[in-house]
Structures are given as structure tokens and as C-alpha cells.
Amino acid sequence: MVPAERLVAEMVPPPRFAGVSFGSYLPDSSQPSQYEAVQILESFAASLNAGAEPVRRGWFRRSAPAPSGPAGIYLDGGYGVGKTHLLASLWHAVPGPKAFGTFVELTNLVGALTFQGAVKTLSSHRLLCIDEFELDDPGDTVLVSTLLSRLVENGVKLCATSNTLPEKLGEGRFAAADFMREIQGLSAHFRPVRIDGQDYRHRGLPDAPPPYSDAEVTARAERAPGASLDDFDTLLEHLKEVHPSRYGALLDDIGAVFLRGVRQVDDQSTALRLVVLADRMYDRELPITASGVPFDQVFTEEMLRGGYRKKYLRAVSRLVALARDSAK
């Protein structure tokens, strides 16, 4: 079991974004909103940096007030427009203490530390960055909404990414008035910033590369240092036995992933576990060499039209990108 202390210590941008900055972000020249997003985030970082040095508490003087401006910035846009790059750039530009994690990692942290423990730990932070904000479960929505409200009250600034505007999150998925009320309260903390553009992973690039044969996958794995070699069905069965918060630990010391017999997944629970694994592999920039069906066919058409559509499309985009990496 991965200790809770490690979960807190690992709340940093994934290796793929370890060295990014606002300067290394390359806006699409045809998308003015990308330039505007950089300017807004640079100003947000400057406001946080201005309040970085606390005023010492004295007899007639209180501690420094929280930096002015919005409690949070919400980066809204499609896949591959650079939202995570910009979120990580903000994290790098602001002095600590600070934390960076996905929505799922944040809920897992609460599970590991308890709600009050998470509030206490994160309230000492200047900035909390949340990537891939998702609201697939009303319980998680209430939990995170309450957590963020408490953190804002304690002066923590927020920045989040998602593919839906805050006031639209959950729309069409749940009808409960209480659920929608939680969404509205959460959205009030953020200034939405729209980022338009085409998925950079698809700009001028081909579709998913053709898969290899089983024999080719095995032979390549034998020549690759730090390689993992699994049959796809065996891997999916193993994921059932591991909590998704631990999938990152499964990839420790792995330099490349080799899979035999990739097939279309038709079970929702299995597919969602694969989504989490795809995110962790993408974070670590692990090239994937596979046989079977190409990754743009791994989820059924019904899944791609359903309530988890955005998760599956993100996973396809990332799996295809990693498969391309192995083909270079």
C-alpha cells in the first residue's frame, strides 16, 4: 500500500510537464484565446507572487491579506489545446507551498487523509491546481465542492482544467436540484477562461498507427530496457485487484509498455480503469507497443456516445499519442 504521505508528496505536475513554463507554451497563431489565456495566467501568478512574503504578525498588525483577484481560474477547452501545460506552468511560476493533482487524485487524497485532514494539509498551501475536473459521481461533487469552499475561505487560490464550463458540469447526467446547486456554488469560485483550438496531438498527424503482431511485440520488449510485457486481458484482470489511486505505483521503474492482444473493451467498469491507467502512462511519457486492435477502436461506439464520453475520448487521444511515440 502506498502511504498517504507519498500521495501528498507526489502532488506535483507529472514528468511530461516537469519543465514547462508560460514561455514554452506555443499558442496556435489562429487561436487568439490561447494568447489571452497565457496573459491571464501570468497576471494570476503575479498576484500570487506579490503576496508570497507574509507580513509578520505583531501586536497591532495582522497577517498579510490574501492576494486580491478571483479565488480561482478555470481553463475550459477541448483535448490537446495545452490546458495541462498552462496549469503546470502556473504551478511552476508560483512559490510554495503548493499542490498539483487530478480531480481523482484529490478525491483519493481525501480518502487517505479524511476530509478534515485534507483541509488541514491543503490549507497551508498557497495554490492548488486541479487537472481534468470531472463530476461523474454526485457524492464526489459535494465532497470536492465543500473541500474547495473551505480552502478558499482559508485563502488558498485555485486553478482547474476541464472540458466543460463550471456551470455546465454534470448537465444531462444528474437531475437532482441539490447536485446542480453544488455545481453553481463551485463555479462561483472560478473565473472561466476559454481556450479554443485543435488537439495538438492530431495537427497534421495520422490516425492511430497500425498495431504490430504478437511476435513483434514480444521481440521488441525483449530488446527494450525497463519494459513491461503483458497480455491485454491479463492486464485488465490485474487492474481489478488494484485501487486506481495506486496505478501510478504500478508503473514505477517501467520505461516502455508492451501489450499483446489489445481488444475492444465493452464493460464500463473495465473501460474506466483503463482510462485511469492511460492517464498515468501519459503522465510518465511511456511509449506503448501493442498488437490487436488500434487504440482508436478500443472503446465501443456506445461508450463514446455515453455519459463518460469525454473520459474515453481523452484516453484515446493519449493512448494514440503514446503508440505514435513507440513507432518513431
Side-chain angles (χ1 to χ4, degrees):
M1 177 179 292
V2 180
E5 292 76 12
R6 174 173 172 173
L7 295 178
V8 177
E10 289 183 344
M11 292 190 74
V12 299
R16 179 179 288 267
F17 302 100
V20 299
S21 66
F22 293 127
S24 66
Y25 179 73
L26 301 177
D28 186 335
S29 59
S30 64
Q31 302 293 340
S33 63
Q34 295 187 10
Y35 288 94
E36 182 180 1
V38 173
Q39 294 174 340
I40 291 172
L41 287 172
E42 285 181 329
S43 296
F44 189 56
S47 71
L48 288 171
N49 291 336
E53 294 297 331
V55 177
R56 293 185 180 276
R57 189 182 296 272
W59 290 107
F60 304 104
R61 186 170 52 190
R62 297 182 178 181
S63 58
S68 60
I73 300 292
Y74 194 100
L75 302 178
D76 171 70
Y79 302 103
V81 297
K83 299 188 305 297
T84 303
H85 184 132
L86 289 174
L87 185 69
S89 297
L90 173 67
W91 188 90
H92 288 302
V94 173
K98 54 191 175 180
F100 183 109
T102 65
F103 179 84
V104 172
E105 289 170 334
L106 186 60
T107 59
N108 289 338
L109 182 70
V110 174
L113 301 181
T114 73
F115 179 83
Q116 293 299 334
V119 170
K120 181 179 179 181
T121 299
L122 295 175
S123 289
S124 65
H125 287 58
R126 178 171 286 108
L127 172 68
L128 173 62
C129 294
I130 311 163
D131 201 19
E132 298 297 347
F133 212 108
E134 298 171 351
L135 295 172
D136 299 315
D137 184 286
D140 284 345
T141 302
V142 174
L143 175 71
V144 174
S145 176
T146 306
L147 174 65
L148 297 186
S149 296
R150 291 282 297 278
L151 295 180
V152 168
E153 291 171 1
N154 291 330
V156 181
K157 293 293 185 175
L158 310 171
C159 190
T161 75
S162 186
N163 303 291
T164 312
L165 285 170
E167 64 270 16
K168 299 297 183 182
L169 286 171
E171 189 170 283
R173 294 291 316 283
F174 310 100
D178 289 345
F179 176 78
M180 294 305 297
R181 188 159 52 245
E182 288 295 332
I183 298 295
Q184 295 297 329
L186 183 58
S187 67
H189 295 315
F190 295 93
R191 172 186 175 180
V193 176
R194 176 74 185 179
I195 307 176
D196 299 306
Q198 181 184 7
D199 188 337
Y200 76 91
R201 294 182 286 264
H202 296 164
R203 294 175 194 164
L205 296 174
D207 293 330
Y212 297 90
S213 67
D214 287 349
E216 287 176 314
V217 172
T218 302
R220 286 171 175 261
E222 291 173 349
R223 298 194 299 267
S228 67
L229 175 62
D230 297 281
D231 292 316
F232 190 62
D233 280 335
T234 302
L235 174 64
L236 296 182
E237 284 298 315
H238 182 62
L239 293 181
K240 292 181 181 179
E241 309 301 322
V242 182
H243 191 276
S245 66
R246 316 302 182 189
Y247 286 3
L250 291 178
L251 301 170
D252 286 350
D253 303 320
I254 291 178
V257 174
F258 293 80
L259 296 173
R260 291 180 298 221
V262 174
R263 62 169 176 82
Q264 190 170 73
V265 177
D266 53 12
D267 173 70
Q268 192 92 270
S269 297
T270 302
L272 290 172
R273 286 191 287 268
L274 181 59
V275 167
V276 177
L277 182 66
D279 287 341
R280 301 292 79 78
M281 291 190 294
Y282 185 77
D283 289 345
R284 289 160 175 77
E285 300 183 283
L286 298 178
I288 304 175
T289 303
S291 64
V293 304
F295 284 117
D296 56 2
Q297 299 175 27
V298 75
F299 301 114
T300 67
E301 288 298 322
E302 181 180 4
M303 288 180 178
L304 295 179
R305 293 193 300 268
Y308 296 109
R309 176 176 180 271
K310 291 178 179 179
K311 285 190 176 189
Y312 295 138
L313 290 177
R314 184 184 77 236
V316 167
S317 176
R318 292 183 166 185
L319 289 169
V320 168
L322 295 176
R324 288 187 187 131
D325 289 344
S326 74
K328 291 179 181 178

